[in-house]
Amino acid sequence: MLEKTYEPAAVEARIYQAWLDAGAFKAGAGAKPGAETFSIVIPPPNVTGSLHIGHALNNTIQDILVRFERMRGKDVLWQPGMDHAGIATQMIVERKLMEQQQPSRREMGREEFLRRVWEWKAESGGTILNQLKRLGASADWSRERFTMDDGLSEAVRKVFVGLYEKGLIYRAKRLVNWHPGLETAISDLEVENIETNGKMWHLRYPIEGSTETITVATTRPETMLGDLAVAVHPDDERYQHLIGKNVILPIVGRKIPIIADAYADPELGSGAVKITPAHDFNDFEVGQRHGLKPINIFTTTAKLNGNVPAEYRGLDRFEARERLITELEAMGVLVWIDEKKIMVPFDEKTKQVVIEPYLTDQWFVNAEVLAGPATESVRSGRTKFVPQNWENTYFAWMENIKPWCISRQLWWGHQIPAWYGPRLNTDPDFSNGSAGPKVFVAATEAEAIAQAEAYYGKRKIEVFTGGMTSPDYVKAYQGFDTTQRDRRNPTTWAMRKEKDPFAELSDSKVPLQRDEDVLDTWFSSALWPFSTLGWPENTEELKRYYQTDVLVTGFDIIFFWVARMMMMGLEFLEEEPFHTVYVHALVRDEHGQKMSKTKGNVIDPLNLVDEYGADATRFTLAAMAAQGRDLRLAMSRVEGYRNFVTKLWNAARFLEMNDCVRVEGYEPKANLLAVNRWIVSATTKAVDAVTAALTDYRFNEAANAAYDFVWGTFCDWYVELAKPVFSEGEPADKAETQATAAYVLDQILKLLHPFMPFVTEELWEQTGKTGPARDRQLVISSWPDIAELVDEKATAELDWLVSLVSGIRSVRQEMNVPAGAKAKLLVVGAGAETGTRVEAHLAALTRLARLDSVDYADEVPSESAQIVLGEAIFALPLGGMIDLDAERARLGKDMAKIDGDVEKIERKLNNPQFVSKAPEEVIDEQRQRRDEALERRARLAEALERLS
């Protein structure tokens, strides 16, 4: 016997463990022999992460697809795993060391620090995967991968070496986003531009040899110490006579040229722009065009370095700013200051540290070359975006792609497989001072040593640890390099040999040091669709499950992750990693506001699971996941879908109490009662609708089709129509209805399982205790296959009954007819078929519509509400039941009030000032209020028309 109420907390953990024990999530579980594959890779959450509402939506959508395709008999793999989250993880462990008053990272050394990180990962990392299990995620946990595990690390090294050998990875000095707190380069995604109250300082630079000046403006005056030019537009007539002349940089005294470049906008400010190539991305490009050699004025901690006047060296950038402004003002260089809102780049995690554009040696990928095939794949339709408009975002990024900085100055991550040694004096690049050390890129240290031995000849290779700046390595490197330079000059070498009897041996040992930097986390993530399947080995899983089917992701990482997976998949496997990219929308609060801790409107999905259950949480997200439209998550919606879970449970209990048991050999085509033929037909149509919607990634339509059928058609109508059959029907009719009800409930459990896995599996198990034994869990049962069970005649007949009863109920509600009052129904102009239907369903019509009697008439009586259905008019004489004049007045008054409300809203929406200043979510809310009011008015107008 089913419990009186369904308690998710008492069921979900037990059901999930039963799935795990049965191996229900493993690749291929429940698949038919020779089945088609369906594979998805989970967007790997950070090892540091906790489940947020975006994760909940993303993984709910994935799980719906996975459960749906598994039930359709496909060989399904949902590949789970985690990302090592380089910066976030290192920050957590370093903070923990500080709190415990342990030695710092640099004090303990790299090897010990990494041991501590792995220790933290074993103890605390991966919380989010257990949280996903609470949500019901049916991934193949036996195949869980980690971006730092041995197999994925091997894949990373192979890709790095392969791209380097093709010239697609290189080391260069370029501008990057620099985090002064962490002392590392970071990606654009880790930078958040925040609007702040700022200032624009206008500075007057003197022209060399003239009393004339030129005015420039800056929001970062400290960077002027690194200025190398002033740019004006080549067509700006005001400055034609100055192009080619120099200005004297205040405080520094350096001569810098006035150059002509289209980057300068004559309409902005004075039209003249200071150019600081080492500390501004746009200025760097200008500097490249004009051959300006950048001057870096910052240390790695954003203090001023030795390239600035002595009095500013060692100052923090913001302290230097204040001192500089004071001095410039005293010199008369500062003309005026504008108070204004400016966008400032902060680190995305803490939003406390201002990020600096910084010139440094880094490793880069030539993304432009890799982007070509990846762009063509989408243009040709081999990979499609859903919704399609996200293709435009993809193309915009890909067609304006920049070199991808892949090195990070961290210890936690994939250490770059590059080793450095001094150049031989026979090396063609030896005399080029900018060439730097000799680089050996290899998958292993042994391979790097082999390359070094081939380069250095018989010399002994000594591998150092401790970094490029360790004293022992620096000493050995400089000694070798000095010897090589001495050997280039016979005179110098002869003099050295006279003084040093061991000179010939001084370069017999070669120091080799591995690059200390690690790779950008996104580098290993870019390999995720194939590295998780065993590549670079040609595994059976790789052959079977690659290409994967669909990637479910958010719009914010289309470039950072989706595009890079496309590039790497095509480069190394010559095939796109997926044929479809489903881009889900953002989950906002019920007012359309973006969730944030500062606003206090963050919704924790685990709190929803605790309060309402995983099924209600999942169904809410699915039902609101319309393509291209952000979700507005209100607690009332979650509560409503919890009620849906309860409704399903109660319906199952009602069937159980009425002995509705599955019958061996039951054949729905053999049903005789119209109500049973109708419900089977409706089930078929619901299955078709849900299947079609899921196939097209229309998750909200799929969920709503299932909801409407289960709650509306089955629970509200079929169960009510079946009650008299259960209580007083003929034995054969009762048996048929019991068997049909049990059969349809089975189909409902299958239909709802992808959305609400826990309650459906529990009901499957409980209802399986009677009737034929079940041979498998619901999770690996077959999707309903009842395509040919539509009875159009029965469908038309019962749909007519439902429409008539619904119409009568609407009239009663609109006209304020007392709930307990029974009305008379007069049928006017009925044909033979309508008359037959009325007589056949008279008992149900009378009971469900609360009628006193049903009679036939030649014309509609006065003071009657009318319902037109087919050729007939169904009239409800209301004269003796309500005050018609008062009702007309009430309806008119309500309509007038709505008209006034709509007029106020229209005035707002037609006001250009309101539309331009109001947040988008406020405008959307006003439009929604207007539309809902107009719908209410239409219903009231219809009611008033009925009384006319």
Side-chain angles (χ1 to χ4, degrees):
M1 186 73 179
L2 289 173
E3 296 290 336
K4 185 176 181 181
T5 57
Y6 174 69
E7 297 292 345
V11 170
E12 290 173 355
R14 170 174 55 80
I15 291 289
Y16 199 87
Q17 190 58 50
W19 287 328
L20 292 176
D21 293 343
F25 303 158
K26 288 189 175 180
K32 299 172 184 175
E36 177 186 351
T37 61
F38 180 84
S39 57
I40 290 183
V41 290
I42 194 171
N46 287 347
V47 66
T48 59
S50 291
L51 192 72
H52 59 61
I53 199 68
H55 289 132
L57 171 64
N58 181 284
N59 285 276
T60 292
I61 288 172
Q62 289 181 81
D63 196 47
I64 288 170
L65 288 171
V66 164
R67 289 178 183 270
F68 169 61
E69 297 294 2
R70 189 184 287 127
M71 293 179 76
R72 293 217 290 176
K74 293 184 181 179
D75 177 353
V76 171
L77 168 63
W78 185 10
Q79 174 63 55
M82 288 185 299
D83 189 275
H84 62 277
I87 291 177
T89 304
Q90 183 160 316
M91 284 176 64
I92 286 174
V93 176
E94 289 200 73
R95 191 182 306 126
K96 184 180 177 184
L97 292 173
M98 186 172 62
E99 290 169 355
Q100 295 175 349
Q101 297 184 327
Q102 298 272 326
S104 70
R105 166 169 66 100
R106 298 195 182 279
E107 287 171 341
M108 68 174 57
R110 185 174 197 132
E111 186 176 346
E112 175 61 17
F113 177 74
L114 292 179
R115 188 189 70 77
R116 299 289 186 97
V117 179
W118 281 106
E119 188 177 82
W120 172 87
K121 191 254 181 187
E123 292 174 359
S124 308
T127 299
I128 191 169
L129 294 186
N130 290 323
Q131 294 171 334
L132 287 175
K133 293 174 184 178
R134 287 199 60 197
L135 197 64
S138 63
D140 185 352
W141 300 111
S142 69
R143 292 185 48 81
E144 181 186 328
R145 303 303 299 268
F146 182 52
T147 49
M148 286 285 287
D149 70 28
D150 290 342
L152 271 65
S153 296
E154 182 186 356
V156 166
R157 291 191 294 270
K158 186 172 181 66
V159 166
F160 187 96
V161 173
L163 292 176
Y164 177 81
E165 289 175 347
K166 288 186 175 183
L168 295 175
I169 279 183
Y170 58 91
R171 186 168 171 83
K173 188 181 288 291
R174 292 184 64 93
L175 224 55
V176 296
N177 293 309
W178 187 263
H179 192 304
L182 299 174
E183 297 182 69
T184 180
I186 59 175
S187 73
D188 290 345
L189 192 65
E190 291 153 336
V191 179
E192 183 173 346
N193 289 297
I194 299 175
E195 187 177 66
T196 59
N197 292 320
K199 295 178 180 178
M200 179 74 81
W201 286 271
H202 296 261
L203 310 177
R204 184 187 291 122
Y205 287 3
I207 309 295
E208 181 188 21
S210 168
T211 57
E212 201 173 354
T213 62
I214 190 168
T215 300
V216 297
T218 180
T219 58
R220 299 156 64 217
E222 65 279 8
T223 63
M224 68 159 289
L225 299 175
D227 283 0
L228 289 177
V230 172
V232 297
H233 195 278
D235 298 331
D236 193 335
E237 294 182 1
R238 294 172 295 175
Y239 300 115
Q240 291 297 308
H241 66 293
L242 295 179
I243 295 172
K245 293 186 176 182
N246 294 325
V247 301
I248 305 299
L249 188 62
I251 296 177
V252 180
R254 182 167 57 243
K255 294 180 184 180
I256 60 175
I258 299 173
I259 60 176
D261 195 281
Y263 170 63
D265 186 348
E267 303 298 320
L268 277 179
S270 68
V273 185
K274 60 187 284 298
I275 302 299
T276 318
H279 299 289
D280 182 277
F281 288 100
N282 291 317
D283 290 5
F284 181 81
E285 298 298 330
V286 174
Q288 292 286 94
R289 289 195 291 271
H290 293 271
L292 303 176
K293 188 176 180 181
I295 297 176
N296 185 4
I297 64 167
F298 291 134
T299 67
T300 57
T301 57
K303 292 182 177 179
L304 273 67
N305 64 20
N307 291 328
V308 301
E311 63 269 26
Y312 287 94
R313 293 172 191 170
L315 295 181
D316 175 79
R317 54 186 160 163
F318 299 117
E319 183 184 356
R321 177 182 295 179
E322 296 303 317
R323 186 180 296 187
L324 191 69
I325 290 301
T326 301
E327 187 171 352
L328 290 172
E329 190 171 19
M331 294 171 64
V333 171
L334 178 61
V335 185
W336 76 88
I337 305 170
D338 288 333
E339 303 281 343
K340 62 182 296 182
K341 297 280 187 183
I342 60 173
M343 301 302 293
V344 177
F346 285 88
D347 74 303
E348 181 266 339
K349 293 287 182 202
T350 69
K351 299 176 179 57
Q352 299 294 317
V353 179
V354 176
I355 303 304
E356 281 291 342
Y358 186 72
L359 188 65
T360 176
D361 288 306
Q362 301 288 342
W363 287 92
F364 294 88
V365 171
N366 187 341
E368 186 177 358
V369 172
L370 296 175
T375 304
E376 177 55 28
S377 290
V378 177
R379 287 208 184 279
S380 64
R382 292 195 300 275
T383 293
K384 66 176 183 177
F385 279 80
V386 178
Q388 189 176 357
N389 63 287
W390 287 112
E391 289 181 358
N392 298 328
T393 301
Y394 179 82
F395 292 142
W397 273 327
M398 297 295 264
E399 290 165 1
N400 296 281
I401 201 163
K402 303 292 184 187
W404 171 17
C405 176
I406 56 171
S407 46
R408 298 290 181 267
Q409 289 62 55
L410 305 170
W411 284 358
W412 174 241
H414 296 281
Q415 191 171 359
I416 290 173
W419 285 258
Y420 300 96
R423 289 185 182 273
L424 292 172
N425 59 15
T426 54
D427 191 313
D429 292 324
F430 179 80
S431 58
N432 181 2
S434 63
K438 179 67 178 176
V439 183
F440 303 96
V441 171
T444 65
E445 183 175 291
E447 291 176 17
I449 290 174
Q451 289 182 26
E453 288 173 341
Y455 178 77
Y456 294 111
K458 296 181 179 180
R459 294 174 176 86
K460 183 181 178 182
I461 308 299
E462 183 177 10
V463 179
F464 284 77
T465 58
M468 301 286 287
T469 57
S470 67
D472 290 343
Y473 175 72
V474 170
K475 181 180 178 182
Y477 182 97
Q478 289 177 344
F480 188 99
D481 190 56
T482 300
T483 299
Q484 290 297 298
R485 296 188 183 281
D486 287 350
R487 282 184 183 272
R488 295 270 289 193
N489 188 315
T491 304
T492 303
W493 184 238
M495 292 173 59
R496 179 171 168 181
K497 284 199 294 182
E498 280 183 21
K499 296 178 182 178
D500 181 5
F502 299 102
E504 288 289 356
L505 301 175
S506 61
D507 61 353
S508 62
K509 185 184 291 185
V510 183
L512 215 61
Q513 171 68 53
R514 187 170 181 178
D515 196 316
E516 278 202 295
D517 291 353
V518 300
L519 288 165
D520 177 14
T521 297
W522 294 104
F523 190 88
S524 51
S525 297
L527 318 183
W528 189 250
F530 53 91
S531 63
T532 53
L533 297 176
W535 189 90
E537 299 299 322
N538 190 25
T539 63
E540 289 302 314
E541 292 86 353
L542 184 65
K543 288 185 279 190
R544 183 150 185 76
Y545 297 111
Y546 190 92
Q547 160 194 82
T548 68
D549 286 85
V550 57
L551 177 76
V552 179
T553 186
F555 62 87
D556 53 336
I557 54 174
I558 288 176
F559 176 67
F560 292 99
W561 190 43
V562 178
R564 288 166 179 171
M565 284 190 288
M566 289 285 288
M567 293 180 199
M568 295 302 189
L570 286 162
E571 176 67 21
F572 288 94
L573 279 88
E574 299 181 348
E575 186 178 12
E576 297 80 6
F578 24 72
H579 60 68
T580 300
V581 179
Y582 177 82
V583 182
H584 62 72
L586 192 67
V587 184
R588 299 178 179 270
D589 71 8
E590 62 183 305
H591 306 295
Q593 295 277 337
K594 190 173 181 180
M595 294 186 192
S596 71
K597 290 179 181 178
T598 54
K599 293 178 183 175
N601 63 346
V602 173
I603 296 173
D604 185 340
L606 294 179
N607 290 343
L608 298 182
V609 171
D610 289 338
E611 187 170 355
Y612 301 105
D615 291 323
T617 302
R618 290 167 57 109
F619 202 91
T620 303
L621 295 170
M624 300 179 73
Q627 289 183 12
R629 192 169 70 228
D630 287 351
L631 289 72
R632 293 188 174 194
L633 184 57
M635 292 304 98
S636 58
R637 292 292 296 268
V638 191
E639 188 174 342
Y641 291 121
R642 180 187 60 184
N643 295 341
F644 180 42
V645 174
T646 301
K647 186 82 170 179
L648 174 65
W649 186 265
N650 289 342
R653 286 189 74 243
F654 176 79
L655 298 190
E656 182 185 58
M657 288 187 290
N658 283 279
D659 300 321
C660 298
V661 178
R662 293 169 300 113
V663 175
E664 188 79 55
Y666 166 76
E667 179 51 65
K669 287 183 179 179
N671 284 341
L672 298 176
L673 294 183
V675 69
N676 292 329
R677 298 198 307 274
W678 166 72
I679 194 59
V680 170
S681 298
T683 305
T684 301
K685 291 180 178 180
V687 169
D688 289 346
V690 173
T691 302
L694 287 180
T695 303
D696 290 341
Y697 308 105
R698 292 178 280 113
F699 299 98
N700 63 316
E701 294 181 24
N704 291 325
Y707 178 91
D708 291 344
F709 167 68
V710 175
W711 189 308
T713 304
F714 183 74
C715 295
D716 280 356
W717 290 106
Y718 178 71
V719 169
E720 288 301 318
L721 291 168
K723 282 179 179 178
V725 184
F726 292 150
S727 61
E728 54 197 44
E730 294 294 327
D733 293 347
K734 183 176 181 179
E736 178 190 294
T737 305
Q738 288 169 326
T740 301
Y743 167 82
V744 172
L745 179 61
D746 260 18
Q747 311 315 307
I748 285 172
L749 297 181
K750 293 178 179 181
L751 192 68
L752 287 176
H753 181 74
F755 307 96
M756 304 195 309
F758 291 105
V759 68
T760 52
E761 189 72 74
E762 176 70 357
L763 286 172
W764 183 263
E765 179 184 327
Q766 296 300 324
T767 57
K769 293 177 179 178
T770 55
R774 299 201 191 277
D775 64 348
R776 56 182 57 201
Q777 294 173 309
L778 177 58
V779 66
I780 53 172
S781 294
S782 297
W783 186 250
D785 184 14
I786 50 177
E788 299 182 10
L789 295 179
V790 175
D791 185 320
E792 296 295 355
K793 183 179 178 184
T795 298
E797 183 175 334
L798 269 295
D799 285 352
W800 170 88
L801 175 62
V802 169
S803 296
L804 180 55
V805 173
S806 299
I808 295 170
R809 287 175 173 176
S810 293
V811 167
R812 292 177 64 103
Q813 184 178 3
E814 291 164 3
M815 304 302 178
N816 284 335
V817 175
K822 291 191 174 182
K824 293 180 179 180
L825 180 68
L826 295 176
V827 185
V828 181
E833 186 178 47
T834 298
T836 301
R837 288 174 175 176
V838 169
E839 296 306 319
H841 299 287
L842 185 60
L845 179 60
T846 303
R847 178 171 60 88
L848 296 176
R850 298 194 63 78
L851 299 176
D852 181 49
S853 62
V854 179
D855 294 311
Y856 296 87
D858 294 330
E859 53 185 46
V860 177
S862 60
E863 298 187 334
S864 293
Q866 302 173 34
I867 301 155
V868 179
L869 193 59
E871 83 289 358
I873 297 174
F874 297 85
L876 289 169
L878 299 177
M881 303 182 73
I882 60 173
D883 184 334
L884 294 176
D885 289 336
E887 188 59 25
R888 290 189 189 100
R890 181 188 70 81
L891 292 170
K893 183 178 178 182
D894 288 352
M895 287 167 63
K897 183 179 185 306
I898 290 174
D899 289 340
D901 292 342
V902 169
E903 187 182 353
K904 289 178 185 176
I905 295 172
E906 291 286 9
R907 277 204 301 269
K908 280 186 180 179
L909 294 175
N910 291 329
N911 183 340
Q913 268 195 316
F914 173 78
V915 173
S916 63
K917 292 182 179 179
E920 185 179 342
E921 58 267 18
V922 172
I923 296 171
D924 287 344
E925 184 182 5
Q926 291 295 315
R927 287 176 179 148
Q928 188 176 348
R929 284 179 56 195
R930 177 196 61 193
D931 294 344
E932 289 172 355
L934 290 173
E935 286 178 16
R936 285 199 309 276
R937 192 191 189 287
R939 290 195 297 272
L940 294 174
E942 186 179 353
L944 187 59
E945 179 66 24
R946 286 192 176 118
L947 291 178
S948 299

